[in-house]
Amino acid sequence: MTILVTGATGSVGSHIVAQLVERGERVRALTRDPSRANFPAGVEVAAGDLQVIESLAPAFDGVTALHLITVGGEGLPLLPNGEEIVALAAKAGVERVTVLSSWDEGSVEAALRESSLPWTQLQGVEFMANAFDWQAEARAEGVVRVFGNQPGALVHEADIAAVAVAALTSAGHEGRTYQLTGPELTTPEERVRLLAEASGHDLRFEPLTETQLRERMAAWGMDEETIEFAVMLGTHPPAAGSTILPTVEQVTGRPARTFAQWAQENAAAFRP
């Protein structure tokens, strides 16, 4: 059985590849630039771009299980060609599919629902890896500036991967939508404290005002819709983001990882 992982160099995909290799599975990793890929020994690397359907046929050949992402390209827009991707998977004889959805569903999910393929949807409320957005300020100034200090049930990318691996390698997950969270609620201020403890670097949390956030994002070239969305997340985030669910443990048989664990694993990234 060959399992194809798309988005294989991403924060979740790289964990899926590593965990499948640890299980002894045959893994094929899709990447747009194989020369820059760094996968575990034994992984077959396939060149291809989900936005260019003509590039995918060799990567899908002989594949029996498939992990899909729903975005691609500069700025990570939703893929417009989900119907073509799903048709290619069906033609290849794929027997199991997992799909990592973003905030909005798009053509990939719609095509899967219309297909006869057994598929499992994964939805992470917020990734712990989003803390990497703080890395530059943390290393250069010893400060993390955030608008809003709302608690969230962030999920470790390795736990999303573990649920994907379970669905790709065992029966009983078909037709399920798994909403994935961590085991606890933490605020940005608490996460900064945990990163400081893990890294040994004196980090300070500094709240941004709404005006400061708007000015900062405008200076980065963000459009008004994106800015309004960021303001909404900082003031009235969706209830799903602060609802702890037991899904990770139920599917994988072990507790979900905490942000303290994530901080220990990535401490070096936040040191000067």
Side-chain angles (χ1 to χ4, degrees), residues 31-164:
T31 176
R32 286 178 292 178
D33 187 358
S35 67
R36 299 177 61 185
N38 182 23
F39 296 114
V43 173
E44 179 186 352
V45 181
D49 186 336
L50 287 173
Q51 299 178 98
V52 184
I53 198 68
E54 297 80 8
S55 72
L56 299 178
F60 277 67
D61 183 43
V63 168
T64 53
L66 167 67
H67 174 72
L68 282 174
I69 57 174
T70 62
V71 296
E74 190 69 27
L76 297 179
L78 289 170
L79 292 167
N81 59 339
E83 188 173 348
E84 294 176 295
I85 295 170
V86 170
L88 184 59
K91 182 179 179 181
V94 170
E95 299 170 0
R96 290 181 182 139
V97 180
T98 57
V99 57
L100 179 61
S101 294
S102 59
W103 279 90
D104 299 310
E105 292 194 1
S107 68
V108 174
E109 293 94 340
L112 284 168
R113 288 196 176 94
E114 293 297 319
S115 77
S116 60
L117 294 173
W119 66 290
T120 306
Q121 184 179 24
L122 313 177
Q123 295 178 319
V125 294
E126 183 180 351
F127 294 3
M128 292 183 184
N130 289 348
F132 282 127
D133 292 343
W134 303 340
Q135 184 177 6
E137 281 187 332
R139 297 182 69 172
E141 303 178 50
V143 64
V144 173
R145 299 180 177 93
V146 180
F147 173 68
N149 196 30
Q150 307 290 342
L154 279 65
V155 62
H156 196 302
E157 299 74 39
D159 285 334
I160 300 174
V163 173

Side-chain angles (χ1 to χ4, degrees), residues 119-233:
W119 66 290
T120 306
Q121 184 179 24
L122 313 177
Q123 295 178 319
V125 294
E126 183 180 351
F127 294 3
M128 292 183 184
N130 289 348
F132 282 127
D133 292 343
W134 303 340
Q135 184 177 6
E137 281 187 332
R139 297 182 69 172
E141 303 178 50
V143 64
V144 173
R145 299 180 177 93
V146 180
F147 173 68
N149 196 30
Q150 307 290 342
L154 279 65
V155 62
H156 196 302
E157 299 74 39
D159 285 334
I160 300 174
V163 173
V165 168
L168 289 167
T169 59
S170 61
H173 306 281
E174 301 84 358
R176 303 284 187 89
T177 294
Y178 289 135
Q179 292 186 334
L180 307 173
T181 76
E184 61 186 357
L185 296 178
T186 58
T187 64
E189 186 171 10
E190 289 168 336
R191 287 168 229 152
V192 171
R193 175 180 57 78
L194 289 168
L195 285 169
E197 292 174 358
S199 65
H201 179 34
D202 186 17
L203 297 179
R204 184 178 78 258
F205 173 82
E206 184 176 301
L208 290 174
T209 65
E210 181 177 331
T211 298
Q212 289 172 325
L213 175 72
R214 290 181 180 277
E215 291 175 347
R216 171 182 277 210
M217 294 186 71
W220 292 340
M222 301 293 185
D223 59 54
E224 191 60 31
E225 182 179 355
T226 303
I227 294 173
E228 291 299 330
F229 183 65
V231 171
M232 182 274 291
L233 288 180

Side-chain angles (χ1 to χ4, degrees), residues 1 3 18 21 24 30 42 65 99 163 201 262:
M1 181 173 84
I3 301 175
V21 169
L30 185 74
V99 57
V163 173
H201 179 34
W262 189 95

